[in-house]
Structures are given as C-alpha cells and as structure tokens.
Amino acid sequence: MQRKFSKLLALGTVVASVSLVLSACSGKKQSSGNQTSKGSIALITDDNGVDDQSFNQAAWQGFKAYGKEHGFTRGKGYQYFQSGSASDFTPNFNQAAKSGYQTIVGVGYMLTDSVKASAKKNPKKNFVIIDDVITGQKNVASVTFESNQSSYLGGLAAAYTTKTNKVGFIGGAKSSIIDKFEAGFKQGVQDGAKALQKKIKVSTEYVGNFASTDKAKSIAQSMYANKTDIIFQTAGAAGNGVFQEAKDRNQTRPASQKVWVIGVDVDQVNLGNYKTKDGKKDNFTLTSVLKGLDVASKSLADDAYRGKFPGGKHLVYTLKGNGVSLTRGNLSAKTWTAVNRAKAQIIAGKINVRETTK
C-alpha cells in the first residue's frame, strides 16, 4: 500500500531514556545497558557506516532531529548500530531488539533479508526497511523514494550547465535502486538538451560496489579526461573518490575551466570546497539530488511515538512535500527557473519520469 508523502508529515515515534549497545566499525558490540521504552528507536547502518556523507548519514540526521525535538540524546532513547560488513547486519538487528529497542530501522535494500528475519523473530517490535518493500509482515513498514524524479531535475540542471556537452553518471553497485537514479538523470539531460537545441552525450559507468573510492576516482579521471565536465555520482561512500578527482583536477586550473560533481542523498556541497590555481576559494558541487531519508526516519519515529506505526504499509516519498528534492547549489538563475518549472510539471503529472533504463 502506498501513501502520499504529504500525508506522512504528521507521522511520529516515541523515545525513552536508557543506555544502549553501539556497534563499532568492526561490527563488535559493546553493551552498555538495555532500552526499555516502547518508543525507543535504533538505526542499523549498512557497511559504509553512519558518517558516509550519504545514505546512512541522511537517515541519522532524522534520528538526531527527532531526539532534539523530544528532548532525547544519543544513547538515551535513540542510537545507531554500525555494521562493519554484511555479516554484521543480522547480529546488529538481533542485538538492537535484545537491548529493548522497539522500532528498528534498516538502511538500504542490502539489509532486507535481515529485516525479514529479525521481524519474524521479534513480532512485537516495529521494523522499517528503507529502499525496498517487504510484504506479508505486519510489523514491517517499507519506505521507498521516487528518486528518479529528483534525478530528472539533476539531469536537467546538467544539461543547462555543461559547456562541453558531455556529462557522466557513476553508480555504485547495479540494482533497481541505482537504475532509477540513472533513468531519471538521463531523461532530464535528454529533455534539457531538446529544450536548448543541443546534443549532449551521457557516459555511464558503475563501480561495482559502494565502498571502492579508488575505483570511483579512476572512473571519474577517465571521464573528465574525455572532456566530460559534469558527473552525477550515486556510489555511496565510493562517491567520495569522484569528489577527490574533481578537486585534484580543479586545483590545477582556473575557475572558468572547472569540472563539476552532482551530489546524492544529502547536500554534498561541503565536499566541493577547493582553491583554484590562483589560490581563490571556490566550490564544484553543482547541486545535490536529495533523498529525504531524514524526513522519512523522523516521520516514522514520530509515528511510532504516537502509537501509530504504519506496520505492513508501503510509504512512497516523492517531489511533493520534498520527499525527494534538488538543492540550489551553484545553479544559475536560468537553470534554477527551469528546474522549478519542471518540478511543478512532474508534481502535476505533466512530465512522467521513467523508473528504469530498460
């Protein structure tokens, strides 16, 4: 069952005070007590960790906002369990449940099997899977995002900004989730090129995972060397390699010849700070395609807080209500106008954005 994002803003979650279990990057647990409140909430990260400048970090921001609003602190009602590898997923879910956490959130489709297993083992607790859909389990809420819509806006922005008429897309591991980003981006570039009467080439490469920054950097190096001047990266922590390559390249040239990166999941403008060849401060993050994980995680937390956890339901976040969105970043006034016009058309159903490249 899908629910419009605009109806989710009032959802909520309860948190209580208690010490908790924190998993280190290695996946080892260090117990410091149990959670007992029915409103407590825990986040299980994927193997990129909570400070990945991307997916996990965005969800954690929602947890922190929730805690601040309700007067709670980390370890006092909300906490994260950090996974060092995929082998930590199920143990972390089990540990969070054992520690007394009532609502447990899994970040990313790679945690789907662990959510299913833990939810079955703990039928009286609430579970959330982000970026996948689990059916047939009444204590599991599923959250997905129409990231193709915000990626379309990113593609449109790239089309309006490119000087070389060559842009790139670098994904992490191939999946339906990343394919959705790619589909929207390419359609946005295509429509922007048509509106501007230009021919723009889109190069596509995949890292193969979400952790190999060196490989992502190497792919970006090749793209930029081939005169690509804008790259949209959806590679998780590996995407930091794209930013590093852009920084290395931009530091050796004047600002008028800079190459750009489009960020993903969270506003990655800070990753684009650098100094030009002549020592001037500048920024090369063109814009960021946002997934409202912070909005979703806080909304679900508030929902549980009010005793209205949407178990068994599928919640879909879209451009309407900023469930997904695009930052202004370094976009020109002309580009920003085009982006907002397209956003309104997508919300109104006048532009239908593809969900797959196939």
Side-chain angles (χ1 to χ4, degrees):
M1 175 180 177
Q2 296 186 346
R3 189 189 299 181
K4 293 184 178 178
F5 173 74
S6 58
K7 294 181 179 180
L8 297 174
L9 295 178
L11 299 178
T13 260
V14 154
V15 156
S17 308
V18 202
S19 308
L20 163 286
V21 178
L22 173 61
S23 301
C25 291
S26 63
K28 295 180 180 179
K29 319 300 185 295
Q30 296 179 349
S31 179
S32 58
N34 292 326
Q35 283 288 351
T36 56
S37 168
K38 291 183 178 181
S40 56
I41 188 165
L43 178 72
I44 312 300
T45 76
D46 64 18
D47 55 5
N48 286 315
V50 78
D51 295 320
D52 60 354
Q53 298 285 339
S54 187
F55 208 60
N56 294 290
Q57 184 171 319
W60 183 239
Q61 287 174 351
F63 273 58
K64 291 192 291 185
Y66 164 77
K68 182 177 181 180
E69 180 176 313
H70 294 281
F72 299 108
T73 59
R74 173 181 163 187
K76 298 290 185 179
Y78 73 95
Q79 183 58 284
Y80 67 85
F81 288 69
Q82 188 155 295
S83 304
S85 67
S87 64
D88 292 325
F89 296 162
T90 297
N92 278 343
F93 275 103
N94 291 337
Q95 187 61 58
K98 182 179 179 181
S99 298
Y101 281 86
Q102 183 60 28
T103 301
I104 307 171
V105 181
V107 182
Y109 66 91
M110 291 184 290
L111 282 72
T112 299
D113 289 342
S114 294
V115 171
K116 288 180 179 178
S118 192
K120 185 177 181 179
K121 185 177 180 180
N122 301 277
K124 294 184 178 181
K125 293 187 180 294
N126 304 322
F127 290 84
V128 179
I129 181 63
I130 292 178
D131 252 2
D132 204 352
V133 179
I134 293 175
T135 59
Q137 292 184 255
K138 294 183 178 180
N139 62 332
V140 179
S142 302
V143 174
T144 61
F145 300 85
E146 294 298 331
S147 52
N148 54 318
Q149 295 181 347
S150 48
S151 294
Y152 176 96
L153 300 182
L156 189 68
Y160 271 76
T161 305
T162 181
K163 294 180 180 179
T164 64
N165 292 333
K166 289 185 176 183
V167 301
F169 176 90
I170 298 179
K174 287 190 175 183
S175 68
S176 59
I177 302 300
I178 304 303
D179 187 65
K180 205 168 186 177
F181 280 106
E182 182 184 343
F185 180 70
K186 287 183 173 178
Q187 186 179 344
V189 172
Q190 180 182 25
D191 288 356
K194 183 177 180 180
L196 296 168
Q197 297 184 323
K198 298 197 299 185
K199 290 184 178 181
I200 302 175
K201 180 181 178 181
V202 182
S203 299
T204 302
E205 295 285 347
Y206 277 80
V207 178
N209 58 61
F210 296 99
S212 300
T213 55
D214 289 346
K215 186 174 181 180
K217 188 177 189 300
S218 177
I219 294 172
Q221 183 180 45
S222 179
M223 283 189 177
Y224 287 136
N226 196 36
K227 295 186 178 180
T228 293
D229 61 350
I230 302 171
I231 294 175
F232 175 32
Q233 68 82 22
T234 61
N240 291 326
V242 179
F243 280 94
Q244 187 58 58
E245 177 58 30
K247 183 175 183 179
D248 290 347
R249 190 168 292 265
N250 285 329
Q251 287 176 334
T252 65
R253 57 178 64 190
S256 60
Q257 297 177 18
K258 80 167 71 171
V259 294
W260 299 94
V261 178
I262 295 177
V264 73
D265 293 336
V266 296
D267 188 353
Q268 296 184 316
V269 65
N270 62 307
L271 297 180
N273 293 327
Y274 78 106
K275 286 187 178 181
T276 61
K277 184 178 181 179
D278 55 3
K280 294 183 179 179
K281 292 182 179 181
D282 207 339
N283 187 278
F284 59 80
T285 300
L286 180 63
T287 180
S288 293
V289 172
L290 305 184
K291 243 181 179 178
L293 277 88
D294 55 339
V295 177
S297 60
K298 182 180 182 301
S299 179
L300 284 159
D302 287 335
D303 199 13
Y305 183 89
R306 298 174 60 189
K308 296 182 179 181
F309 182 75
K313 296 182 179 180
H314 175 199
L315 312 180
V316 181
Y317 290 72
T318 71
L319 280 177
K320 188 174 183 179
N322 290 321
V324 294
S325 58
L326 192 78
T327 64
R328 172 66 189 268
N330 286 295
L331 302 180
S332 68
K334 178 181 178 181
T335 301
W336 189 236
T337 296
V339 163
N340 281 304
R341 181 168 58 246
K343 177 181 178 180
Q345 291 175 324
I346 292 172
I347 292 174
K350 295 180 180 179
I351 295 177
N352 294 311
V353 184
R354 294 190 293 268
E355 295 194 5
T356 176
T357 57
K358 299 178 181 179

